[in-house]
Amino acid sequence: MLGKSSGASCHGPAPFGQVRSSRGRSADRPGSPEHRISIDNGRIFKMSASRFSRRAAALLFALTALPPFLMAAAGAEPSPADALVGVWEADDGTVKLDMYKAGSEFQARMLYGNEIVESDNVTFKKDTRNPDPTLRSRSLKNIVFVTGLRWTDGEWSGGSIYDGSSGRTYNCRAIIQDGKMHLRGYLGLPAMGQTRILHRVRG
């Protein structure tokens, strides 16, 4: 019994060892299920890696191409013509206006004028001197009194300015010099007119 038992113990483990060895060898044989699985997994991995690399390349291109465009857009300098836009006040405090862009031209609203307010210095007068009778009942507050200014050759010209205190309309032009706007109204030649100097109102 001891001999049989001993024989069994000697020969018993052998089949188990052969199974492990056989499985190890079968995985290396082309055509075996394990070999096909390993090949298929390799193909799947390569396909996934290829797709990933294409997506990564596209993403990398977007990341490298987009920022310069955004930086160029963000860092673009404003047009010199737009320097006229904003709220301006005469150095002597007698006029305050809001200059804005309307299409391709620049216009201005009257926010305050010492000659177009009542004695309380708050209530705006009516536009009683306007050549158009239908406008004589309107308030002069916030009227659009500058129209048609266009940026040409370093200045804004070709505009019209309405004087609510007299009902007259003049030609006008404007330049910015040393940070201040020089708004000139005139009849005929620019030399025959009057210039108001205004500074930009902050905030």
Side-chain angles (χ1 to χ4, degrees):
M1 292 179 64
L2 291 175
K4 291 181 181 179
S5 172
S6 174
S9 63
C10 291
H11 296 287
F16 183 75
Q18 290 175 357
V19 171
R20 290 192 299 175
S21 169
S22 173
R23 287 181 179 176
R25 288 193 300 272
S26 65
D28 297 332
R29 291 198 305 272
S32 67
E34 292 85 351
H35 187 73
R36 288 195 298 271
I37 290 173
S38 66
I39 292 176
D40 290 343
N41 287 341
R43 288 175 179 171
I44 291 171
F45 175 77
K46 289 179 180 178
M47 291 174 64
S48 300
S50 176
R51 291 175 182 173
F52 175 79
S53 63
R54 286 196 297 268
R55 291 177 182 175
L59 180 60
L60 182 61
F61 174 79
L63 290 176
T64 55
L66 189 57
F69 171 78
L70 293 177
M71 290 175 63
E77 295 184 0
S79 169
D82 294 338
L84 196 66
V85 174
V87 177
W88 300 83
E89 184 176 15
D91 286 351
D92 59 7
T94 57
V95 175
K96 189 175 184 179
L97 58 90
D98 176 23
M99 189 73 72
Y100 62 95
K101 193 171 184 179
S104 60
E105 69 178 48
F106 294 85
Q107 301 180 352
R109 295 186 185 91
M110 178 65 74
L111 302 180
Y112 173 80
N114 67 329
E115 295 184 358
I116 59 173
V117 293
E118 302 290 354
S119 57
D120 61 4
N121 206 36
V122 176
T123 306
F124 279 78
K125 297 178 179 180
K126 301 295 184 180
D127 194 10
T128 55
R129 297 180 180 273
N130 197 303
D132 185 350
T134 63
L135 298 177
R136 291 174 183 170
S137 61
R138 70 173 181 173
S139 171
L140 288 171
K141 183 179 182 179
N142 291 331
I143 64 166
V144 179
F145 75 107
V146 173
T147 59
L149 280 175
R150 295 178 183 271
W151 173 254
T152 306
D153 298 329
E155 67 175 12
W156 296 265
S157 59
S160 299
I161 183 168
Y162 174 67
D163 179 13
S165 64
S166 65
R168 295 177 179 176
T169 299
Y170 301 88
N171 298 323
C172 76
R173 61 193 301 181
I175 61 171
I176 293 180
Q177 186 175 358
D178 298 328
K180 293 187 176 183
M181 177 171 65
H182 297 243
L183 181 63
R184 186 169 186 81
Y186 60 94
L187 285 175
L189 298 176
M192 304 298 293
Q194 181 181 7
T195 298
R196 300 300 298 268
I197 300 177
L198 306 97
H199 61 268
R200 190 184 297 276
V201 177
R202 302 295 179 184

